[in-house]
Amino acid sequence: MVESPKKYISLFIKCLIAALLIYTVYQQLFLKHNFEKLYNQFCDNARDRNSFYLILTFILMIPNWFLETLRWRFLVIQHHPITIRMSIRAILMGITLGMISPQRVGEYAGRLLVLTKDKNWLSVKSNFLTSLSLNIVILIFGLFSLFILADDGNLIFNLSVNGVLISGTISLFILVLVFFSLKKIERIFKLHIVFEKIKSWGSFTAYQFSKRSLFILLVFSLARYIVFLCQYALLLTYFGARIESMTLLACVALVYLIQSILPLPSMLSLLARGEIAIMVFSVLNVNEISILATTFGLWIINLMLPAFFGLILLMKTTILEPNRIENNQ
C-alpha cells in the first residue's frame, strides 16, 4: 500500500520547524550576544549568591504559561469543549512556531492544531483577545510606573518621558476601544465578508464574548503580568541589582511598556529588549552585564525551554490534519 504524500510533507515541515528553532536558538545564543561573557556572569552568581531567586524564577515559569493556557481556554471553551491538556499542547506548540516566525504570528498557527478546522476563527479570535488584554494590562501599569518613578525622584531622564506617556496613552485608548468593541468594529467594517471567504474555517461572526468574559480575561492577564513582572525582578536581583522593591518593579513595568509600544522585529527582539532594559536600569547604576544576563535568562526560561517542549509535541501532531494528535494517550 502506497503511503499518503501528506505523511512525507508533514515530516518535512516538522524537520524544517526543528531546524529553524535550533538555528533561532543558536543565533540568539552565539551570533547576537557574547554568550561566554553572560555565561561567566551566571557562573559567578551561582558561586557567590543565594540561588533562591534563580530557582523561584524557574518555578514561576509554570504558572506563567499555565495562566496563558487558562486565558486562551477560558474563551475557547465558551464555544467549543477543550481539555486543559489539549490547551497546554496548543500553547506550547504556539510558542515553538512563534519563535521562528515574524512578529510571533506562528503562535496563532500553533493553537489551530488542536481544534477542528471549522473552529479556526474561534482560536484566532481567542488568541487575538488574550493578546490585547495582556497589552492593556502592560500599558496601564507601565504608564502608572512613570508616575511612581517621578514621585520617587528616579525619573529616567534619558528617556523621552513625554513621548512614552503620549504614545502609551494613545495605544491604551485604541486597544481598550478594540477590546470592548470588537463586535461593532467587525460589523462596521464588514469584516465577515472578507474572512468568511475561507469557508472551511467556519463562521467568523459566530464567536462573540460578553463584557463580563472580557473583564474576567483582564483579571487572568493581570495575574500573568504579575508573574512575569516578579520573574524579571527576581532574576535581576539574582544577578546583583540592589534596588528598592517599588522602584525595581516600576522600572520593570516601564521596560515592558516601552517594549509594547515599539515595533520590534522578531529577529532583533531579544537584542532590542536588552537595549531597552539597559537604557532604563543603567541610570540606577545597575551593571550592564547583569541587565543583559537577566534579559537573556528570561528568554531561556520563558521561551526557549517551553519552545523545545512544544517541538516535541509538534512531532506527535499530524500538521496537515488539525486535531489528529498522534500518540495522544
Side-chain angles (χ1 to χ4, degrees):
M1 181 177 178
V2 179
E3 295 189 22
S4 170
K6 283 187 176 181
K7 179 177 180 180
Y8 296 103
I9 296 173
S10 179
L11 179 60
F12 172 76
I13 293 173
K14 292 174 184 178
C15 291
L16 181 61
I17 290 170
L20 287 172
L21 180 62
I22 292 170
Y23 175 74
T24 300
V25 171
Y26 173 77
Q27 180 188 54
Q28 298 291 353
L29 284 176
F30 300 104
L31 299 184
K32 292 190 175 182
H33 295 84
N34 189 332
F35 179 72
E36 183 178 356
K37 183 181 290 187
L38 295 175
Y39 178 74
N40 289 336
Q41 174 75 6
F42 172 81
C43 290
D44 289 342
N45 282 274
R47 286 193 299 267
D48 300 336
R49 303 182 192 282
N50 190 331
S51 296
F52 169 77
Y53 298 113
L54 178 64
I55 294 170
L56 188 54
T57 303
F58 267 99
I59 292 174
L60 286 175
M61 175 183 65
I62 298 173
N64 182 11
W65 288 112
F66 186 68
L67 283 167
E68 177 62 15
T69 300
L70 293 181
R71 293 194 317 137
W72 182 76
R73 181 176 182 267
F74 171 71
L75 295 183
V76 171
I77 204 170
Q78 294 182 38
H79 296 281
H80 181 71
I82 184 171
T83 64
I84 286 286
R85 181 182 178 184
M86 293 300 287
S87 299
I88 292 173
R89 295 178 80 103
I91 299 305
L92 291 175
M93 290 189 295
I95 297 170
T96 303
L97 295 179
M99 278 193 67
I100 62 174
S101 59
Q103 302 302 317
R104 300 189 61 79
V105 295
E107 286 188 358
Y108 285 83
R111 298 181 188 192
L112 295 179
L113 293 173
V114 301
L115 298 176
T116 52
K117 200 171 183 180
D118 64 324
K119 296 294 187 296
N120 279 357
W121 285 124
L122 173 59
S123 178
V124 169
K125 277 191 175 182
S126 299
N127 201 41
F128 179 69
L129 287 170
T130 55
S131 178
L132 274 184
S133 66
L134 185 59
N135 277 294
I136 287 170
V137 172
I138 289 172
L139 287 167
I140 290 172
F141 284 88
L143 292 171
F144 183 63
S145 72
L146 286 174
F147 296 101
I148 293 178
L149 293 171
D151 288 342
D152 284 350
N154 289 313
L155 190 61
I156 313 302
F157 290 107
N158 62 335
L159 293 175
S160 177
V161 176
N162 289 335
V164 173
L165 184 60
I166 293 171
S167 300
T169 303
I170 293 173
S171 298
L172 178 60
F173 174 78
I174 293 173
L175 292 188
V176 170
L177 180 65
V178 173
F179 185 70
F180 286 107
S181 307
L182 186 58
K183 184 177 180 179
K184 292 181 180 178
I185 292 171
E186 291 173 2
R187 187 171 62 248
I188 291 171
F189 292 97
K190 299 181 178 179
L191 297 180
H192 65 282
I193 296 176
V194 177
F195 293 129
E196 288 192 354
K197 289 182 179 179
I198 312 176
K199 297 186 184 300
S200 61
W201 281 32
S203 173
F204 178 76
T205 57
Y207 309 114
Q208 305 297 337
F209 304 95
S210 66
K211 292 288 193 297
R212 180 176 179 274
S213 294
L214 296 178
F215 276 112
I216 294 174
L217 181 60
L218 283 172
V219 173
F220 276 124
S221 297
L222 174 60
R224 186 176 178 225
Y225 175 76
I226 291 172
V227 169
F228 61 69
L229 198 74
C230 291
Q231 280 185 298
Y232 200 119
L234 286 167
L235 201 56
L236 190 61
T237 302
Y238 173 76
F239 282 117
R242 293 296 176 262
I243 308 172
E244 191 272 327
S245 297
M246 185 60 71
T247 301
L248 173 59
L249 291 173
C251 286
V252 175
L254 181 58
V255 169
Y256 284 130
L257 169 66
I258 298 172
Q259 289 177 7
S260 70
I261 61 179
L262 289 179
L264 300 176
S266 58
M267 299 302 286
L268 298 176
S269 60
L270 182 57
L271 180 63
R273 288 176 188 179
E275 293 300 321
I276 291 170
I278 289 171
M279 182 172 59
V280 172
F281 284 104
S282 60
V283 177
L284 301 176
N285 298 318
V286 179
N287 182 279
E288 183 175 313
I289 296 298
S290 296
I291 299 169
L292 290 175
T294 298
T295 303
F296 186 72
L298 285 175
W299 180 81
I300 292 176
I301 295 169
N302 285 340
L303 284 177
M304 192 190 83
L305 294 180
F308 278 107
F309 283 117
L311 180 62
I312 295 171
L313 295 174
L314 269 170
M315 292 301 173
K316 299 180 179 181
T317 303
T318 307
I319 293 177
L320 298 181
E321 297 178 43
N323 204 39
R324 293 183 61 185
I325 307 296
E326 300 166 359
N327 304 319
N328 195 30
Q329 300 302 323

